[in-house]
Amino acid sequence: MIGLWEIISPWLEGLRQRPWLLLFLFAAPYLLLTWRRKIYPSGLQILLLLGPCLATGLILARPELFPFLVAIDLAAAAAALVDLFTLPSPAAIEVERQLLRVASLQQNHRITLTVINTSRRVLRVTVRDDCPASFAYEPKQFELNLQPRSRSTVHYEACPSERGAFELERVYFRCRSWLGLWHQLVKKPALSIVHVYPDMKQLAEYAILARTNRLSQIGVRRTRKIGQDNEFERLRDYALDDNYKHIDWRTTARRRKLTVRDFQTSQSQRIIFLLDCGRMMTNESAGISLLDHSLNALLMMSYVALRQGDSVGLVSFSDKVHNFVPPRSGMSQMNRLLHASFDRFPQLVESRYDEAFLYLSAHCRKRSLVVLLTNVIDEVNSHQVQQYLGSAMGRHLPMGVLMRDHRLFDAADKEDPQGADFYRAAAAAEILTWRHQVLADLEHQGVLMIDTFAEDMTAKLVNRYLEVKARHLL
């Protein structure tokens, strides 16, 4: 024992004279574990090491206690080393994620995690999923005690605030050692893809209210149809089983032979949406962008039109045409519209109306109801909207949907403004007067116009479509 002490004492004396070397020797294992294995000391281990650190102050008063301090340090290091080997192997943990591939905007989406312990001992782990930043979810993490060779299932509700395709690539685990002196971070790959679509709940509500004759609750008015449901096709000779009410007496007198009118079922009419995805659609209303409001209204009107037997198509554009959905009938067209629009976001670029209408004229030659969903905030954009919507009047029936800004109208409607508010109200009133003139000029050219706040757009758009159908404007 004396010989061993004679060998160790020069090393201890060297460490006493070079404290930085002792600090390096103490920190090196921690740095190596952190870098190679993602293992970190816990708060409990820091408290455990705080005792020897405080005891070093005794060396100043009692230098002979240095061997005793070294013994305390070795005991703490031995406890940490023994506890280190109780950490589980990353291979002992497996995870599976279950979720639906399709989610709706601002609607809770259930995600389930199944954690499997393949080892022969109890594991204490904290689980956190790789949820996208645009998802609000609770709870953030789960504390689990996994029994040997068992599995545990947890779930949480995630509420997406943005549309698009999102990837959940992995699940994160924080494993605790037996004494709780160490934490190890483990990343397990678990790739899942979820597509966030615009809110489809409104379509289900419309279907329910339509069946129960309560569409007025969502602002859809009942429109009286003008004329018959069938359209005139041709004149032909009277047959014995024909309805005498369909006899055309004027033609009969001219031909001196009974002649009746033949009717055919109204042909499917075509609706083409021009969706502006430029900078003017980046503003927000009620927490979501104007483009999201436009998509909600577009999908609702498409659903109504497809139920009426019409064909619906879509052209989305900003500084170029992004995609085109040819007009088709049938409820399967809803899926095509959804896939074409769910990952479309407003861009900070100038919208090219000329490109959109040129593309429309090249790909849609039949007469259609052309609905432009956009926003007008300056004279340059308003001039283009007037020019191209007005030029479409001959071949198509154009409709423009412009969205109002709450801040602009609130500033103009403020009662008894004083100081800076007075000038702000005057500027807002001037802009609104200009905006009203733009709408009047478009309506004078024969363009159907809707000027509304974004959150009220859906009901007004559906009502105007039903009015067009009732008046046979197409």
Side-chain angles (χ1 to χ4, degrees):
M1 186 68 178
I2 297 176
L4 180 63
W5 176 254
E6 291 177 352
I7 297 174
I8 296 177
S9 55
W11 289 90
L12 296 178
E13 185 64 26
L15 291 176
R16 180 185 299 178
Q17 296 177 2
R18 300 177 182 86
W20 57 268
L21 182 60
L22 180 62
L23 179 63
F24 173 76
L25 293 176
F26 186 80
Y30 289 95
L31 296 176
L32 184 63
L33 288 173
T34 302
W35 177 51
R36 298 287 296 179
R37 296 285 303 275
K38 303 300 180 184
I39 298 176
Y40 305 88
S42 67
L44 181 61
Q45 184 175 169
I46 295 175
L47 291 177
L48 180 65
L49 298 178
L50 188 61
C53 292
L54 294 177
T56 55
L58 297 176
I59 300 177
L60 300 176
R62 305 284 297 275
E64 64 273 12
L65 294 179
F66 181 72
F68 175 71
L69 177 62
V70 172
I72 294 178
D73 290 342
L74 291 176
L81 182 63
V82 171
D83 194 45
L84 177 64
F85 288 99
T86 65
L87 282 172
S89 170
I93 301 175
E94 297 180 0
V95 63
E96 299 174 356
R97 185 192 294 111
Q98 297 88 30
L99 74 165
L100 295 178
R101 186 181 178 87
V102 176
S104 293
L105 183 67
Q106 295 185 334
Q107 297 294 323
N108 286 336
H109 191 65
R110 187 184 182 91
I111 300 177
T112 302
L113 297 176
T114 302
V115 183
I116 305 171
N117 177 15
T118 61
S119 67
R120 298 178 180 272
R121 54 190 176 127
V122 178
L123 299 183
R124 294 181 293 173
V125 297
T126 301
V127 186
R128 189 177 185 124
D129 201 4
D130 184 22
C131 212
S134 61
F135 284 49
Y137 59 98
E138 288 292 340
K140 300 292 185 182
Q141 59 188 27
F142 301 91
E143 302 286 343
L144 300 178
N145 287 325
L146 300 175
Q147 298 301 316
R149 297 190 179 277
S150 66
R151 64 177 58 202
S152 180
T153 301
V154 295
H155 69 271
Y156 63 94
E157 300 288 339
C159 182
S161 59
E162 292 182 3
R163 294 174 291 101
F166 298 91
E167 291 185 353
L168 285 72
E169 298 181 355
R170 54 183 64 90
V171 180
Y172 299 95
F173 294 89
R174 186 178 64 189
C175 306
R176 294 182 58 191
S177 60
W178 184 58
L179 294 177
L181 300 180
W182 299 95
H183 289 158
Q184 182 177 12
L185 298 183
V186 178
K187 295 186 290 186
K188 285 291 182 177
L191 180 61
S192 300
I193 298 177
V194 58
H195 290 172
V196 180
Y197 291 96
D199 185 12
M200 295 292 98
K201 184 179 179 182
Q202 59 176 348
L203 304 185
E205 291 178 352
Y206 179 88
I208 294 173
L209 295 175
R211 285 196 297 267
T212 57
N213 198 23
R214 293 183 293 139
L215 288 176
S216 59
Q217 294 185 8
I218 58 174
V220 178
R221 300 189 304 269
R222 178 180 296 178
T223 306
R224 184 177 65 87
K225 291 186 177 181
I226 301 174
Q228 301 181 9
D229 292 334
N230 295 328
E231 299 293 335
F232 173 77
E233 181 180 13
R234 60 172 180 160
L235 294 171
R236 63 172 176 83
D237 293 339
Y238 177 83
L240 292 178
D241 55 347
D242 287 335
N243 190 341
Y244 70 93
K245 294 182 179 179
H246 295 163
I247 296 176
D248 189 326
W249 295 107
R250 180 171 296 180
T251 306
T252 297
R254 187 173 62 250
R255 298 180 64 211
R256 297 187 179 184
K257 187 177 183 180
L258 287 175
T259 305
V260 295
R261 295 179 178 179
D262 250 1
F263 297 91
Q264 64 178 356
T265 304
S266 299
Q267 297 297 315
S268 173
Q269 296 169 338
R270 298 158 62 91
I271 302 170
I272 307 293
F273 290 99
L274 294 180
L275 182 62
D276 184 4
C277 302
R279 65 180 180 87
M280 293 181 294
M281 305 295 280
T282 58
N283 288 341
E284 291 189 355
S285 177
I288 60 176
S289 67
L290 297 183
L291 182 59
D292 284 309
H293 284 291
S294 300
L295 279 174
N296 290 337
L298 180 154
L299 292 172
M300 173 62 87
M301 180 174 164
S302 300
Y303 181 78
V304 176
L306 292 172
R307 284 177 54 124
Q308 297 276 345
D310 290 341
S311 301
V312 180
L314 170 66
V315 177
S316 61
F317 69 97
S318 57
D319 58 337
K320 61 181 179 180
V321 175
H322 297 294
N323 51 20
F324 170 58
V325 180
R328 294 180 184 175
S329 59
M331 297 309 296
S332 60
Q333 182 72 349
M334 284 297 301
N335 292 331
R336 301 185 186 96
L337 294 173
L338 282 170
H339 283 291
S341 61
F342 83 97
D343 57 351
R344 185 60 54 203
F345 301 99
Q347 302 179 14
L348 294 175
V349 295
E350 198 69 38
S351 299
R352 292 289 303 271
Y353 296 97
D354 54 343
E355 293 281 349
F357 279 90
L358 182 62
Y359 193 91
L360 177 69
S361 62
H363 293 80
C364 303
R365 297 185 179 276
K366 294 183 179 179
R367 180 172 173 81
S368 308
L369 173 62
V370 177
V371 182
L372 174 62
L373 298 159
T374 186
N375 189 23
V376 172
I377 57 178
D378 55 44
E379 294 184 357
V380 175
N381 294 316
S382 66
H383 176 71
Q384 293 189 62
V385 170
Q386 287 179 282
Q387 178 183 354
Y388 293 107
L389 273 181
S391 63
M393 188 61 201
R395 175 178 295 178
H396 303 289
L397 176 61
M399 178 188 297
V401 182
L402 305 183
M403 280 157 278
R404 296 178 174 180
D405 190 340
H406 278 285
R407 293 170 296 181
L408 192 62
F409 280 80
D410 291 343
D413 294 339
K414 190 170 185 179
E415 296 183 0
D416 193 21
Q418 301 292 333
D421 290 340
F422 178 82
Y423 296 99
R424 192 175 294 111
E430 183 178 358
I431 295 174
L432 292 179
T433 302
W434 164 80
R435 181 187 179 91
H436 178 75
Q437 186 61 44
V438 171
L439 293 170
D441 292 342
L442 285 167
E443 290 177 345
H444 182 71
Q445 296 178 28
V447 179
L448 303 177
M449 293 303 301
I450 299 177
D451 182 30
T452 179
F453 293 110
E455 57 272 18
D456 301 329
M457 178 170 40
T458 300
K460 292 188 177 181
L461 187 58
V462 173
N463 285 330
R464 182 56 66 92
Y465 161 74
L466 295 176
E467 180 184 346
V468 169
K469 292 284 289 184
R471 295 174 59 189
H472 303 288
L473 296 179
L474 276 176

